[in-house]
Structures are given as C-alpha cells and as structure tokens.
Amino acid sequence: MSDTPVTPGAYEISSDPARLDPARIHHWLSTDAYWALGRTREQQDRALAGSLNFGAYDRASGELVAYARVVTDHATFAYLCDVYVDRAVRGKGLGTALAEAVRDRLVPLGLRRIVLATDDAHAVYEKAGFAPITDPEKWMALKPR
C-alpha cells in the first residue's frame, strides 16, 4: 500500500511519523477537542510515540491539516482515536478520508476488531464502514481517575 493515498482535493494522507507536527496536534487536541481538553504536551507526546499516527497534509504547502491516532497491537485489536480536522478545512471529507486510510491500513492485518468512540461524528465513520457495537453489554471500562 502506498503511504500517500489520494484523498479529497488537494490533500494527501501519510503515516510517516517524521511528517507530523506534534506541537500543532497538541494544540488542536488540548484546546479544541472535547475528549482531550487540557491534555498535557507530555501526555500527547507519549501517546504519539506509542501509536500508529496518520496525518492529512495540504499538497501545496505540506501543512498538517488533520490527524488521527490508532492504538493497536497490529495483530488482534485497534482503537481509532484523536481524529481531528482543522476547523479551516472541515467539510471537505478529510475525517472520512482519515478513517478510510486507517481501515485500509489495518484490515489486511486480520484484526478481530477496530473500535472507536464518538459523541457526534457517527456519519463520518459510517462512510468508512464503522457501525454501532452490536454487543455493548460485553464491553467494560475502567476509569482510573
């Protein structure tokens, strides 16, 4: 698979960690993402280091305009999280393109499950094939705080 699949308009997606802009990602998430408000830079840097990361980039400038992170063992399970599209480029299909790039990268691995959680973007992820969990009664969570 190519690391830079074609995406809507003038954008490309890459999982090359060298292209990421950690300061920009931290700013987006810690100030404008309901699920990560107040996240420290140190926490974000650890999350980046331990994850498979995807960036969407403006082809002309190379600027990072959207981001997604996947926590995975590359064998059985993956959790898609921290999907963020810069407010200036929302509505152009980049959220769906990121979800599709994640799907396309992970499905060949034969994972048993790829999950995500969202309060408000169900339609974005449904376009990439995600659906509500059919057996939520099996899932549990530990909130250590």
Side-chain angles (χ1 to χ4, degrees):
M1 174 187 150
S2 168
D3 189 41
T4 54
V6 176
T7 60
Y11 304 99
E12 64 182 354
I13 294 177
S14 173
S15 60
D16 178 356
R19 293 186 71 184
L20 295 172
D21 181 343
R24 184 176 183 105
I25 294 166
H26 174 255
H27 176 75
W28 281 339
L29 296 177
S30 67
T31 65
D32 194 39
Y34 66 83
W35 65 91
L37 293 175
R39 185 181 291 172
T40 69
R41 176 65 191 268
E42 189 270 334
Q43 287 173 313
Q44 184 59 47
D45 287 348
R46 280 189 295 147
L48 279 166
S51 301
L52 173 61
N53 300 281
F54 292 78
Y57 301 88
D58 180 281
R59 287 186 192 276
S61 68
E63 179 183 26
L64 178 69
V65 296
Y67 170 75
R69 182 168 72 87
V70 180
V71 179
T72 184
D73 60 10
H74 299 275
T76 63
F77 182 83
Y79 169 49
L80 172 58
C81 53
D82 287 347
V83 178
Y84 185 90
V85 177
D86 188 289
R87 288 185 176 274
V89 296
R90 288 186 185 169
K92 298 180 183 218
L94 287 169
T96 298
L98 278 169
E100 290 171 343
V102 167
R103 177 200 65 207
D104 294 348
R105 174 76 175 270
L106 297 177
V107 166
L109 299 177
L111 305 178
R112 182 177 175 100
R113 184 162 300 177
I114 303 168
V115 298
L116 63 83
T118 183
D119 278 352
D120 58 2
H122 295 78
V124 169
Y125 301 110
E126 287 170 350
K127 292 175 188 172
F130 286 86
I133 292 176
T134 57
D135 52 2
E137 68 281 355
K138 293 181 181 181
W139 288 84
M140 297 178 74
L142 172 66
K143 294 185 180 186
R145 291 187 191 175

